[in-house]
């Protein structure tokens, strides 16, 4: 007997490979089926993925880019950009610098971009837009030496801070907008320094936004807890009927709800009239509840209250009443049973509602703009101002990016303390 025959007799017959009805190996058929299922699942998810990508990820990416990118000056002043690259910081502003400036001003006038370049520098040094436009109008009539001619048009060109700003803006990428968003700037030597205290507004707005959002969140929590507990304790038919009143604000326009509070809270409004009529206050001592922080807190608490009620209700509905009854039967008082048995089980709903209300609060700007006045406006109102009025989109993007960063940190803290898997939103 040969060695091959002996090995075959010892090892036995080769195992038969399993195949499907159409003759494919079972392993290959299974892999093909799984690939087909994955492809089908991807096609089902693809529309939602594209929607999120186009409407959420791409705009946020553009916002982050806009906060560090602004080529309004750099693309219109190539000669100055080259001069700044060849001359380090601290170099004297000599005739060669003014020659480059004259060359760029001529090009700006030809392309009609002196306003765009001046606006970019005006973000850093106020009043420079008119400096660019007025000098560009006369640049064709000027002759060398350029330093003497340009300074003859306007002495403002000799300001060292102006040249520092142009050096900084000669690159389209900059962090200066984040410095402005944190109430800092650069001096003539390019050192980062705080702005004048009278111009430091963004830090105060961030602090005010955080405090007011926290106050609104706490108020919503204390108001929503008994409401949610009542809804969870009642029979389903009655709780569904009362839930309609909780959801009613969602069916009313935000603008209508805000203007309704304006009617109620103003000095000649319903609440002040009732207080005067009842004799609690005098006609000359009407309460100021509009165009201040009080109006913002009251209106936003009413608007955001359902976002706290629903997560709490969804959690309380699942807590068996027998737990509290068992604790009381074992000798615990009602307060102890609530504190040690019932309240800990509602923490996922409290955390989810607080996170939701706080995040919505920091981003609200319609309600604070209408009822808050100067004292009740939030950082979102300043972002809207730079987007719509001053057109400083890069500063608006920097402020929005910082707000986004704060929300992400808050989300991370919630995940560490409570756990995002425990979130219950209803």
């Amino acid at each position: 007997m040969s060695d091959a025959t002996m090995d075959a007799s010892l090892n036995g017959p080769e195992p038969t490979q399993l195949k499907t009805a159409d003759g494919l190996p079972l392993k290959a058929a299974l892999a093909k089926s799984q690939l087909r299922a994955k492809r089908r699942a991807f096609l089902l998810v693809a529309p939602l993925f594209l929607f999120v990508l186009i409407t959420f990820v791409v705009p946020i990416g553009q916002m982050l880019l806009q906060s560090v990118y602004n080529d309004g000056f750099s693309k219109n002043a190539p000669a100055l950009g080259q001069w700044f690259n060849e001359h380090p910081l601290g170099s004297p502003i000599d005739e060669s610098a003014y020659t480059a400036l004259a060359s760029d001003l001529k090009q700006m006038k030809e392309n009609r971009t002196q306003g765009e370049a001046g606006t970019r520098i005006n973000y850093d040094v106020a009043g420079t837009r008119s400096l660019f436009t007025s000098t560009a109008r006369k640049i064709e009539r000027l002759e060398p030496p350029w330093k003497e001619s340009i300074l003859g048009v306007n002495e403002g060109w000799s300001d060292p801070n102006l040249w520092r700003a142009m050096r900084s803006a000669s690159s389209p990428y900059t962090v200066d907008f984040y410095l402005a968003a944190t109430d800092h700037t650069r001096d003539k030597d390019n050192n980062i320094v705080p702005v004048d205290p009278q111009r430091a507004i963004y830090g105060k707005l961030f602090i005010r936004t955080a405090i007011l959002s926290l106050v609104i969140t706490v108020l919503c929590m204390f108001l929503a807890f008994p409401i949610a507990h009542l809804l969870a304790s009642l029979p389903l038919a009655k709780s569904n009927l009362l839930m309609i009143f909780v959801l009613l604000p969602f069916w009313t326009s935000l603008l209508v709800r805000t203007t309704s509070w304006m009617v109620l809270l103003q000095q000649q409004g319903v609440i002040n009239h009732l207080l005067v009529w009842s004799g609690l206050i005098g006609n000359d001592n009407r309460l100021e509840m509009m165009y201040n922080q009080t109006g913002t807190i009251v209106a936003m608490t009413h608007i955001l209250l359902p976002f706290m009620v629903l997560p709490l209700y969804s959690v309380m509905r699942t807590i068996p009443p027998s737990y509290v009854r068992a604790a009381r039967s074992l000798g615990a008082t009602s307060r102890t049973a609530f504190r040690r048995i019932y309240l800990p089980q509602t923490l996922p709903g409290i955390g989810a509602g607080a996170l939701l209300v706080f995040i919505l609060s920091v981003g609200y700007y319609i309600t604070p703009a209408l009822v808050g006045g100067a004292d009740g406006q939030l950082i979102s109102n300043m972002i809207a101002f730079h987007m719509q009025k001053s057109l400083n989109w890069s500063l608006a993007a920097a402020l929005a990016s910082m707000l986004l960063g704060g929300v992400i940190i808050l989300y991370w803290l919630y995940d560490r303390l409570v756990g995002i898997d425990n979130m219950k939103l209803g």
Side-chain angles (χ1 to χ4, degrees), residues 49-343:
F49 174 76
L50 290 175
F51 177 79
V52 173
L53 181 67
I54 295 173
T55 64
F56 186 73
V57 178
V58 172
I60 288 181
Q62 289 180 334
M63 178 193 71
L64 295 176
L65 177 63
Q66 187 76 42
S67 67
V68 296
Y69 182 88
N70 192 311
D71 62 351
F73 179 80
S74 59
K75 71 179 181 182
N76 295 311
L80 274 175
Q82 183 178 355
W83 189 90
F84 287 129
N85 289 333
E86 296 174 353
H87 295 77
L89 183 66
S91 301
I93 310 302
D94 54 13
E95 178 66 19
S96 62
Y98 283 91
T99 301
L101 174 61
S103 174
D104 287 334
L105 287 174
K106 289 180 181 179
Q107 192 66 33
M108 291 177 194
K109 182 180 180 182
E110 182 179 345
N111 298 333
R112 298 181 179 180
T113 57
Q114 62 269 25
E116 181 182 3
T119 299
R120 169 63 184 90
I121 305 301
N122 195 78
Y123 293 153
D124 199 347
V125 182
T128 51
R129 188 182 190 281
S130 60
L131 185 64
F132 273 81
T133 55
S134 61
T135 307
R137 283 197 300 267
K138 302 176 182 178
I139 193 64
E140 296 294 343
R141 300 196 298 269
L142 302 182
E143 297 179 353
W146 293 111
K147 182 175 181 178
E148 180 180 347
S149 299
I150 292 176
L151 291 180
V153 174
N154 196 314
E155 284 289 336
W157 289 106
S158 62
D159 183 5
N161 200 35
L162 171 62
W163 285 91
R164 189 273 312 160
M166 290 193 295
R167 177 183 289 274
S168 178
S170 61
S171 171
Y173 293 95
T174 178
V175 296
D176 288 352
F177 295 107
Y178 282 98
L179 293 179
T182 55
D183 294 323
H184 286 77
T185 186
R186 298 181 187 270
D187 60 12
K188 62 180 181 180
D189 298 321
N190 209 39
N191 298 316
I192 298 175
V193 295
V195 300
D196 189 294
Q198 296 181 348
R199 296 175 53 197
I201 59 175
Y202 300 116
K204 296 177 183 178
L205 279 176
F206 273 114
I207 294 174
R208 180 193 298 172
T209 300
I211 292 175
L212 290 186
S213 298
L214 184 61
V215 170
I216 292 167
T217 302
V218 172
L219 287 176
C220 285
M221 184 171 61
F222 279 106
L223 291 174
F225 199 95
I227 297 174
H229 179 67
L230 176 64
L231 293 173
S233 302
L234 290 175
L236 190 60
K238 293 183 179 179
S239 65
N240 288 340
L241 180 62
L242 293 179
M243 183 63 72
I244 295 176
F245 295 99
V246 175
L247 299 176
L248 190 60
F250 287 123
W251 305 334
T252 309
S253 169
L254 175 62
L255 188 60
V256 172
R257 284 178 281 168
T258 304
T259 51
S260 299
W261 278 112
M262 295 174 66
V263 173
L264 291 171
L265 297 178
Q266 61 183 319
Q267 283 193 313
Q268 300 299 324
V270 176
I271 295 178
N272 269 301
H273 278 317
L274 289 175
L275 293 176
V276 171
W277 174 79
S278 62
L280 295 176
I281 61 174
N283 191 44
D284 297 333
N285 298 319
R286 289 174 176 262
L287 301 179
E288 294 185 5
M289 297 179 288
M290 274 284 296
Y291 308 120
N292 51 29
Q293 296 183 13
T294 301
T296 299
I297 292 173
V298 171
M300 290 184 62
T301 299
H302 168 254
I303 292 171
L304 297 176
L305 184 59
F307 293 98
M308 182 69 76
V309 173
L310 294 178
L312 282 172
Y313 171 74
S314 67
V315 171
M316 292 178 178
R317 196 73 187 180
T318 61
I319 300 175
S322 57
Y323 288 0
V324 175
R325 290 198 298 266
R328 296 184 64 182
S329 67
L330 293 174
T333 63
S334 298
R335 182 178 300 178
T336 303
F338 172 80
R339 179 172 54 87
R340 301 187 61 179
I341 304 299
Y342 190 81
L343 183 61

